[in-house]
Amino acid sequence: MRTRIHGIAGLTLAAGAVCLGGATLSVPTYAASARVLVPTDSAYLKECGACHMAFSPELLPASSWRAVMGRLDDHFGESAKVDASVQRGITDYLVANAADRATNEQSRAIMGSLSTNESPLRITQVPYIAGLHAAVLDPIWNGTPRPKTLTECGVCHIKVQSGDYKSKDFSVNDEAFRWKK
């Protein structure tokens, strides 16, 4: 779902977008508590969401999405081939809404953690995301709940379906690191 914003004259700030003169900009619509765009592209949701969570496009830069979508014959060890026109449409959607084109706090942090021209193929390879989740799978921290992989966002991020990665139900135990007298 996208919202159309029409600029009337001069500079107008609306929904985080700048509209100049009579220009029309299309900006993502965010859920009230969302920090990242909730995916809405029907082909993306159908084709990609059938096998794994349809991740927000704002979690990777455009170059990463191009690379991931460019090798669907070997999509992390599986064939995810789709019709060429469907592949182009999904790629266009992901690139247009990628982290390097977003203005939200999380996407800016993602881009800030990447070096110039870095294009991770996995969201879990983004330094910002990997750093925040370092304790999640490490048994020494005894985290609960315990996802099997970091791609199971909904295990800890209880409002992920609305784009909210801030609300979470996760705790760690630092007992192994306490000084024993």
Side-chain angles (χ1 to χ4, degrees):
M1 178 165 64
R2 297 183 80 73
T3 302
R4 297 303 255 179
I5 297 179
H6 302 278
I8 296 175
L11 289 176
T12 303
L13 287 174
V18 177
C19 301
L20 299 172
T24 301
L25 298 177
S26 181
V27 297
T29 301
Y30 295 88
S33 64
R35 297 289 184 239
V36 297
L37 177 71
V38 176
T40 57
D41 183 79
S42 59
Y44 176 58
L45 293 170
K46 177 184 174 199
E47 298 296 341
C48 302
C51 296
H52 58 75
M53 178 181 153
F55 298 101
S56 174
E58 294 181 340
L59 297 177
L60 283 176
S63 58
S64 293
W65 287 121
R66 280 190 202 95
V68 168
M69 292 301 295
R71 50 181 291 223
L72 292 181
D73 56 326
D74 182 14
H75 186 66
F76 306 106
E78 303 284 332
S79 175
K81 289 173 100 174
V82 295
D83 179 72
S85 64
V86 172
Q87 184 174 352
R88 270 191 309 280
I90 293 172
T91 302
D92 290 348
Y93 170 74
L94 294 170
V95 167
N97 293 287
D100 46 341
R101 304 207 169 135
T103 59
N104 67 72
E105 172 188 333
Q106 300 237 16
S107 295
R108 286 192 314 264
I110 286 167
M111 293 310 300
S113 74
L114 297 170
S115 59
T116 306
N117 299 322
E118 187 175 0
S119 300
L121 293 178
R122 296 177 183 268
I123 293 167
T124 56
Q125 293 172 333
V126 172
Y128 170 73
I129 293 171
L132 288 176
H133 295 84
V136 173
L137 299 178
D138 189 340
I140 198 164
W141 287 97
N142 195 27
T144 56
R146 179 152 317 291
K148 292 180 181 136
T149 71
L150 290 182
T151 61
E152 297 177 306
C153 304
V155 171
C156 300
H157 298 280
I158 55 177
K159 295 182 180 177
V160 72
Q161 295 304 329
S162 66
D164 180 356
Y165 285 82
K166 297 262 184 196
S167 298
K168 50 192 162 292
D169 181 19
F170 182 78
S171 62
V172 294
N173 182 344
D174 67 351
E175 196 170 307
F177 296 96
R178 292 187 189 158
W179 182 259
K180 302 212 185 228
K181 294 181 181 181

PDB file of all heavy atoms in Angstrom, residues 3 9 18 20 24 66 83 110 123 127 132 134 157 162 165 171 176:
ATOM      1  N   THR A   3       0.969   5.665  -0.347  1.00  0.00           N
ATOM      2  CA  THR A   3       0.191   6.881  -0.232  1.00  0.00           C
ATOM      3  C   THR A   3       0.731   7.888  -1.231  1.00  0.00           C
ATOM      4  O   THR A   3       1.930   8.068  -1.332  1.00  0.00           O
ATOM      5  CB  THR A   3       0.315   7.455   1.199  1.00  0.00           C
ATOM      6  OG1 THR A   3      -0.126   6.459   2.114  1.00  0.00           O
ATOM      7  CG2 THR A   3      -0.504   8.707   1.360  1.00  0.00           C
ATOM      8  N   ALA A   9       3.159  24.038  -3.531  1.00  0.00           N
ATOM      9  CA  ALA A   9       4.132  25.058  -3.918  1.00  0.00           C
ATOM     10  C   ALA A   9       5.276  25.046  -2.929  1.00  0.00           C
ATOM     11  O   ALA A   9       5.086  24.750  -1.761  1.00  0.00           O
ATOM     12  CB  ALA A   9       3.468  26.438  -3.949  1.00  0.00           C
ATOM     13  N   VAL A  18       9.744  14.979   1.009  1.00  0.00           N
ATOM     14  CA  VAL A  18       9.775  16.361   0.580  1.00  0.00           C
ATOM     15  C   VAL A  18       9.179  16.425  -0.813  1.00  0.00           C
ATOM     16  O   VAL A  18       9.593  15.709  -1.712  1.00  0.00           O
ATOM     17  CB  VAL A  18      11.226  16.903   0.543  1.00  0.00           C
ATOM     18  CG1 VAL A  18      11.244  18.323   0.031  1.00  0.00           C
ATOM     19  CG2 VAL A  18      11.846  16.824   1.922  1.00  0.00           C
ATOM     20  N   LEU A  20       8.308  18.884  -4.031  1.00  0.00           N
ATOM     21  CA  LEU A  20       8.695  20.143  -4.645  1.00  0.00           C
ATOM     22  C   LEU A  20       7.693  20.562  -5.700  1.00  0.00           C
ATOM     23  O   LEU A  20       7.317  19.759  -6.550  1.00  0.00           O
ATOM     24  CB  LEU A  20      10.074  20.003  -5.294  1.00  0.00           C
ATOM     25  CG  LEU A  20      11.225  19.659  -4.355  1.00  0.00           C
ATOM     26  CD1 LEU A  20      12.468  19.375  -5.170  1.00  0.00           C
ATOM     27  CD2 LEU A  20      11.463  20.797  -3.388  1.00  0.00           C
ATOM     28  N   THR A  24       4.710  14.924  -7.761  1.00  0.00           N
ATOM     29  CA  THR A  24       4.001  13.915  -7.012  1.00  0.00           C
ATOM     30  C   THR A  24       4.993  12.834  -6.625  1.00  0.00           C
ATOM     31  O   THR A  24       5.672  12.278  -7.468  1.00  0.00           O
ATOM     32  CB  THR A  24       2.880  13.279  -7.872  1.00  0.00           C
ATOM     33  OG1 THR A  24       1.991  14.314  -8.279  1.00  0.00           O
ATOM     34  CG2 THR A  24       2.131  12.230  -7.082  1.00  0.00           C
ATOM     35  N   ARG A  66      19.421  -6.854  -5.538  1.00  0.00           N
ATOM     36  CA  ARG A  66      19.712  -7.214  -6.929  1.00  0.00           C
ATOM     37  C   ARG A  66      20.504  -8.520  -6.995  1.00  0.00           C
ATOM     38  O   ARG A  66      20.241  -9.378  -7.829  1.00  0.00           O
ATOM     39  CB  ARG A  66      20.497  -6.097  -7.613  1.00  0.00           C
ATOM     40  CG  ARG A  66      19.641  -4.946  -8.068  1.00  0.00           C
ATOM     41  CD  ARG A  66      20.441  -3.981  -8.956  1.00  0.00           C
ATOM     42  NE  ARG A  66      19.821  -2.688  -8.960  1.00  0.00           N
ATOM     43  CZ  ARG A  66      20.153  -1.672  -8.171  1.00  0.00           C
ATOM     44  NH1 ARG A  66      21.147  -1.776  -7.315  1.00  0.00           N
ATOM     45  NH2 ARG A  66      19.505  -0.537  -8.246  1.00  0.00           N
ATOM     46  N   ASP A  83       9.043 -17.051 -12.990  1.00  0.00           N
ATOM     47  CA  ASP A  83       8.939 -16.474 -14.323  1.00  0.00           C
ATOM     48  C   ASP A  83       9.751 -15.169 -14.372  1.00  0.00           C
ATOM     49  O   ASP A  83       9.785 -14.412 -13.398  1.00  0.00           O
ATOM     50  CB  ASP A  83       7.457 -16.202 -14.623  1.00  0.00           C
ATOM     51  CG  ASP A  83       7.248 -15.590 -15.979  1.00  0.00           C
ATOM     52  OD1 ASP A  83       7.409 -16.313 -16.974  1.00  0.00           O
ATOM     53  OD2 ASP A  83       6.962 -14.367 -16.028  1.00  0.00           O
ATOM     54  N   ILE A 110      21.354   0.394   9.483  1.00  0.00           N
ATOM     55  CA  ILE A 110      21.824  -0.691   8.618  1.00  0.00           C
ATOM     56  C   ILE A 110      22.841  -0.155   7.625  1.00  0.00           C
ATOM     57  O   ILE A 110      23.937  -0.696   7.475  1.00  0.00           O
ATOM     58  CB  ILE A 110      20.639  -1.369   7.891  1.00  0.00           C
ATOM     59  CG1 ILE A 110      19.857  -2.241   8.885  1.00  0.00           C
ATOM     60  CG2 ILE A 110      21.094  -2.171   6.680  1.00  0.00           C
ATOM     61  CD1 ILE A 110      18.512  -2.702   8.387  1.00  0.00           C
ATOM     62  N   ILE A 123      20.392 -10.961   5.386  1.00  0.00           N
ATOM     63  CA  ILE A 123      20.089  -9.926   6.363  1.00  0.00           C
ATOM     64  C   ILE A 123      20.927 -10.144   7.615  1.00  0.00           C
ATOM     65  O   ILE A 123      21.400  -9.189   8.234  1.00  0.00           O
ATOM     66  CB  ILE A 123      18.578  -9.910   6.674  1.00  0.00           C
ATOM     67  CG1 ILE A 123      17.814  -9.445   5.420  1.00  0.00           C
ATOM     68  CG2 ILE A 123      18.248  -9.043   7.866  1.00  0.00           C
ATOM     69  CD1 ILE A 123      16.322  -9.670   5.462  1.00  0.00           C
ATOM     70  N   PRO A 127      26.175  -5.963   9.503  1.00  0.00           N
ATOM     71  CA  PRO A 127      26.840  -5.777  10.798  1.00  0.00           C
ATOM     72  C   PRO A 127      25.926  -5.241  11.904  1.00  0.00           C
ATOM     73  O   PRO A 127      25.980  -5.708  13.037  1.00  0.00           O
ATOM     74  CB  PRO A 127      27.969  -4.797  10.479  1.00  0.00           C
ATOM     75  CG  PRO A 127      28.278  -5.050   9.035  1.00  0.00           C
ATOM     76  CD  PRO A 127      26.946  -5.363   8.403  1.00  0.00           C
ATOM     77  N   LEU A 132      23.427  -6.663  16.988  1.00  0.00           N
ATOM     78  CA  LEU A 132      22.289  -6.639  17.911  1.00  0.00           C
ATOM     79  C   LEU A 132      21.877  -8.043  18.343  1.00  0.00           C
ATOM     80  O   LEU A 132      21.303  -8.227  19.411  1.00  0.00           O
ATOM     81  CB  LEU A 132      21.081  -5.960  17.254  1.00  0.00           C
ATOM     82  CG  LEU A 132      21.156  -4.457  17.067  1.00  0.00           C
ATOM     83  CD1 LEU A 132      19.929  -3.968  16.313  1.00  0.00           C
ATOM     84  CD2 LEU A 132      21.260  -3.748  18.412  1.00  0.00           C
ATOM     85  N   ALA A 134      23.944 -10.849  18.526  1.00  0.00           N
ATOM     86  CA  ALA A 134      25.084 -11.713  18.844  1.00  0.00           C
ATOM     87  C   ALA A 134      24.779 -12.709  19.961  1.00  0.00           C
ATOM     88  O   ALA A 134      25.227 -13.851  19.925  1.00  0.00           O
ATOM     89  CB  ALA A 134      26.293 -10.863  19.214  1.00  0.00           C
ATOM     90  N   HIS A 157      10.652 -10.960  18.089  1.00  0.00           N
ATOM     91  CA  HIS A 157      10.025  -9.679  17.728  1.00  0.00           C
ATOM     92  C   HIS A 157       8.533  -9.933  17.541  1.00  0.00           C
ATOM     93  O   HIS A 157       8.081 -10.327  16.468  1.00  0.00           O
ATOM     94  CB  HIS A 157      10.655  -9.113  16.449  1.00  0.00           C
ATOM     95  CG  HIS A 157      12.107  -8.816  16.595  1.00  0.00           C
ATOM     96  ND1 HIS A 157      12.576  -7.673  17.204  1.00  0.00           N
ATOM     97  CD2 HIS A 157      13.203  -9.527  16.233  1.00  0.00           C
ATOM     98  CE1 HIS A 157      13.895  -7.687  17.206  1.00  0.00           C
ATOM     99  NE2 HIS A 157      14.310  -8.797  16.618  1.00  0.00           N
ATOM    100  N   SER A 162       3.745  -6.303  11.767  1.00  0.00           N
ATOM    101  CA  SER A 162       3.338  -4.917  11.547  1.00  0.00           C
ATOM    102  C   SER A 162       4.548  -4.020  11.295  1.00  0.00           C
ATOM    103  O   SER A 162       4.418  -2.804  11.278  1.00  0.00           O
ATOM    104  CB  SER A 162       2.530  -4.406  12.749  1.00  0.00           C
ATOM    105  OG  SER A 162       3.345  -4.333  13.899  1.00  0.00           O
ATOM    106  N   TYR A 165      10.085  -3.942  14.836  1.00  0.00           N
ATOM    107  CA  TYR A 165      11.158  -4.799  15.331  1.00  0.00           C
ATOM    108  C   TYR A 165      11.618  -4.355  16.719  1.00  0.00           C
ATOM    109  O   TYR A 165      12.494  -4.967  17.308  1.00  0.00           O
ATOM    110  CB  TYR A 165      12.350  -4.789  14.367  1.00  0.00           C
ATOM    111  CG  TYR A 165      12.099  -5.612  13.125  1.00  0.00           C
ATOM    112  CD1 TYR A 165      11.383  -5.094  12.055  1.00  0.00           C
ATOM    113  CD2 TYR A 165      12.572  -6.913  13.034  1.00  0.00           C
ATOM    114  CE1 TYR A 165      11.147  -5.846  10.925  1.00  0.00           C
ATOM    115  CE2 TYR A 165      12.335  -7.681  11.903  1.00  0.00           C
ATOM    116  CZ  TYR A 165      11.625  -7.139  10.857  1.00  0.00           C
ATOM    117  OH  TYR A 165      11.383  -7.884   9.735  1.00  0.00           O
ATOM    118  N   SER A 171      14.896 -12.439  26.574  1.00  0.00           N
ATOM    119  CA  SER A 171      15.734 -12.114  27.721  1.00  0.00           C
ATOM    120  C   SER A 171      16.968 -13.000  27.704  1.00  0.00           C
ATOM    121  O   SER A 171      16.951 -14.087  27.136  1.00  0.00           O
ATOM    122  CB  SER A 171      14.957 -12.304  29.028  1.00  0.00           C
ATOM    123  OG  SER A 171      14.576 -13.662  29.170  1.00  0.00           O
ATOM    124  N   ALA A 176      26.442 -16.544  33.877  1.00  0.00           N
ATOM    125  CA  ALA A 176      27.749 -17.148  33.546  1.00  0.00           C
ATOM    126  C   ALA A 176      28.872 -16.117  33.613  1.00  0.00           C
ATOM    127  O   ALA A 176      30.034 -16.486  33.715  1.00  0.00           O
ATOM    128  CB  ALA A 176      27.695 -17.763  32.154  1.00  0.00           C
TER     129      ALA A 176
END
